[in-house]
Every structure is written in structure tokens, then in C-alpha cells.
Amino acid sequence: MNKNKFTQLSAKSVMAALLLMGLGKANAQEEKSEFSVYAGGIFSSIYYDLDQGQVDHDNGVQLGLKYAFYLNENWSIGLGAEYQTYNSTARFDYLIGSYNTTDFENDPFEFRYTTRSYRESQKLEYVNVPLTIQFETGDGITDFYVSAGVKAGFAMKGRYETKMDALTTSGYYPQYNAELFGPTFMGFGSFYQVNAGKQDLETKIAWSGTLETGVKQYIGERSSCYIGVFVDYSFNSIADNKDQNMINYPSDEMPVDLQFNSVINSSYSKDVRLIAYGVKLRFAFF
């Protein structure tokens, strides 16, 4: 095969490929509906201000389904459902607290506690329902798009786990002017490498705004691939910041089994919101 014939064959191949993708684009413009599946990540965390401590934001994942109805070549309205995880860790180098309570004999006393290297890991699983409007340029086999809307997030599961290197507790009885550092069955003493285990974490509905932008590449007559970046930001706090103590002394049991509350529902935290951002990949078909 001479050079001219090879060049002509190559040109015809390129034109045929462009024609095929162009037909895919033309067919796509005639379609009124689009179904897609997507995955996004990797940054999704529980964000809040923490008095006397700090919050480490961990990674999460987003998986979803979406249906879009096209109003015209450029505009569409989408409704979807997605699974999203959020992970964070709260840390205190030292945590000191005290409050008045009663023991199992109903005697009043001041419960005091001191912790070292207090850590609480938190994980939330939400089902989000996004409602979005999307604009795409519609000017070729590769389009630019922008999508914006709102999400309603419903808590599916929440867990937190509390650990600390050391915990010292005591009870001060003002009527006797005495501070007890034992016995341990009353919840008083020094404890090391404390692990309270996993406990349920209750949160509220998250109302969020969502924004996404990127490119849409047609890959056939009835399919396309989206590659973009996104950010989700909740408008409301998902937790009631109650005046709860970090360590709860149960007055109605003996021996005493100390309870560890989540910092999210304590007075140490405020403005608890869900934030996710990163890269999103979406495969769509018509």
C-alpha cells in the first residue's frame, strides 16, 4: 500500500469515527431521558467547631443513581438517590470535667474526671435524594456541563467509638470534705487504655446544596461519560448540641459502668455539618 492510499484510508477512518460519534450526539439530542450511575469522593467528613480539641477529617465514598429529563438540548432536570459515608475523628490531648450528681445511695457528690489522649472516631452513613438542574453546552461530541441543586439527606446508620490512653475519676463529697479515688466498682480510680467500644450516633436530616462541573464525552450512540468535580455543603446542623458531659456517671446502678457520650452531642461541639467534595465519575445511557 502506497503512502497516498494509506493517508486516504486513515482520513476515511477518522471521518467514519467522527460520523459515528456525531450520530450518537444527534441521537442523544433527540432523547428526552438519561439514566446514569456514578461514584464520587474522596473527601467527605463531619465538620464542626470543637472547644479545647481538634477534628481530623477522613475520607468517604459516594455512590448513586440519577434520572434526568431533558427540557431541550442544553437543559435537564435530574432526580436521584445516593449512598454517602462521612468520617471524622475528634481528639483532645487532655480533657477535664466535673459536675454534681448522686451515687447509688442517693448521696450527693461532685464527679470529677481527667483524661489523656482522648479520641473519638465517628462514621455516618446517609441516603441522599438530590434534585438538580443541569446545563450543558451541546456543541459537539464533548460538552462542558454545570449542575446545581439541593439534597435531602437521611441518616441510615451512625457510629462512634471512644478511646483514651488514661482516665482518672474521683468523687468529692462536700458533706464529708472527702475526695474518693476508689473503689473501682463505684466508678472511681485510674484506668488505662480505655476502649468504650462502638455506640450508636443519632443525627438529623441534612439539607445540602450541591454543585458539580466538568466535561461530558459521548462514547457511542446511546451512552456518555461524565468526568467532573463536585462539592456538597449542608445548610443545617445535624446534631443538637446538648449540655451533656463527655463521661456520664450512672447513679442508678452498682457496680458503676461509666458511659461515654459523643462530642457531637455535647457542649464541646457546635455547628455540626456534612461536607463532601472531590472527583465524580458518571456513566450515562439514553
Side-chain angles (χ1 to χ4, degrees):
M1 182 181 295
N2 59 40
K3 182 177 181 181
N4 290 335
K5 288 184 178 181
F6 179 79
T7 303
Q8 291 175 3
L9 181 59
S10 299
K12 289 180 180 180
S13 300
V14 172
M15 291 179 64
L18 291 175
L19 178 60
L20 179 60
M21 299 184 77
L23 288 173
K25 175 66 175 179
N27 289 339
Q29 292 174 359
E30 294 173 1
E31 294 294 336
K32 292 294 185 180
S33 298
E34 178 186 78
F35 297 90
S36 58
V37 295
Y38 59 87
I42 59 174
F43 305 102
S44 80
S45 303
I46 312 165
Y47 281 73
Y48 51 90
D49 296 326
L50 186 61
D51 186 27
Q52 302 180 34
Q54 66 182 66
V55 183
D56 298 329
H57 304 294
D58 300 324
N59 300 329
V61 65
Q62 181 183 104
L63 302 172
L65 303 171
K66 181 179 179 180
Y67 166 76
F69 178 79
Y70 276 82
L71 304 175
N72 55 41
E73 179 182 340
N74 303 107
W75 293 93
S76 63
I77 296 175
L79 181 66
E82 65 186 26
Y83 168 80
Q84 175 81 60
T85 62
Y86 304 89
N87 301 279
S88 290
T89 301
R91 295 193 292 111
F92 297 90
D93 291 334
Y94 292 95
L95 189 61
I96 301 174
S98 64
Y99 57 92
N100 294 323
T101 185
T102 58
D103 61 21
F104 71 102
E105 293 182 334
N106 208 32
D107 284 339
F109 74 99
E110 183 183 59
F111 179 67
R112 300 173 177 177
Y113 60 86
T114 302
T115 74
R116 186 177 75 244
S117 297
Y118 187 104
R119 302 176 305 281
E120 180 187 308
S121 58
Q122 304 136 5
K123 180 176 182 178
L124 296 177
E125 300 178 34
Y126 266 69
V127 172
N128 298 325
V129 180
L131 176 63
T132 58
I133 184 167
Q134 178 173 299
F135 171 80
E136 53 193 80
T137 54
D139 54 5
I141 58 176
T142 301
D143 293 346
F144 292 94
Y145 75 94
V146 176
S147 176
V150 294
K151 293 183 179 182
F154 302 91
M156 229 173 92
K157 185 178 180 182
R159 292 279 187 175
Y160 70 96
E161 185 175 10
T162 304
K163 296 180 181 181
M164 61 196 79
D165 288 352
L167 167 65
T168 300
T169 61
S170 64
Y172 174 69
Y173 288 78
Q175 63 270 38
Y176 309 117
N177 192 26
E179 184 174 7
L180 303 181
F181 290 90
T184 56
F185 68 82
M186 287 188 63
F188 305 144
S190 295
F191 312 90
Y192 301 95
Q193 301 304 318
V194 178
N195 186 345
K198 295 181 179 180
Q199 301 178 73
D200 291 335
L201 178 59
E202 295 185 2
T203 53
K204 300 188 294 186
I205 294 177
W207 299 97
S208 306
T210 180
L211 179 65
E212 180 184 345
T213 185
V215 295
K216 176 181 181 180
Q217 174 69 55
Y218 287 87
I219 56 177
E221 293 186 8
R222 305 187 65 84
S223 60
S224 61
C225 181
Y226 291 79
I227 302 176
V229 293
F230 77 99
V231 59
D232 299 339
Y233 183 86
S234 65
F235 301 130
N236 65 304
S237 178
I238 62 166
D240 293 323
N241 302 123
K242 303 173 183 177
D243 190 19
Q244 291 186 351
N245 299 290
M246 297 293 296
I247 301 175
N248 186 44
Y249 186 93
S251 302
D252 56 351
E253 64 181 35
M254 183 60 61
V256 170
D257 185 14
L258 298 175
Q259 300 171 359
F260 300 87
N261 298 320
S262 173
V263 297
I264 286 181
N265 293 318
S266 75
S267 57
Y268 285 92
S269 67
K270 62 180 180 180
D271 200 24
V272 184
R273 299 173 185 265
L274 302 179
I275 299 178
Y277 59 95
V279 177
K280 183 179 290 186
L281 303 176
R282 179 154 45 114
F283 176 76
F285 54 96
F286 316 102

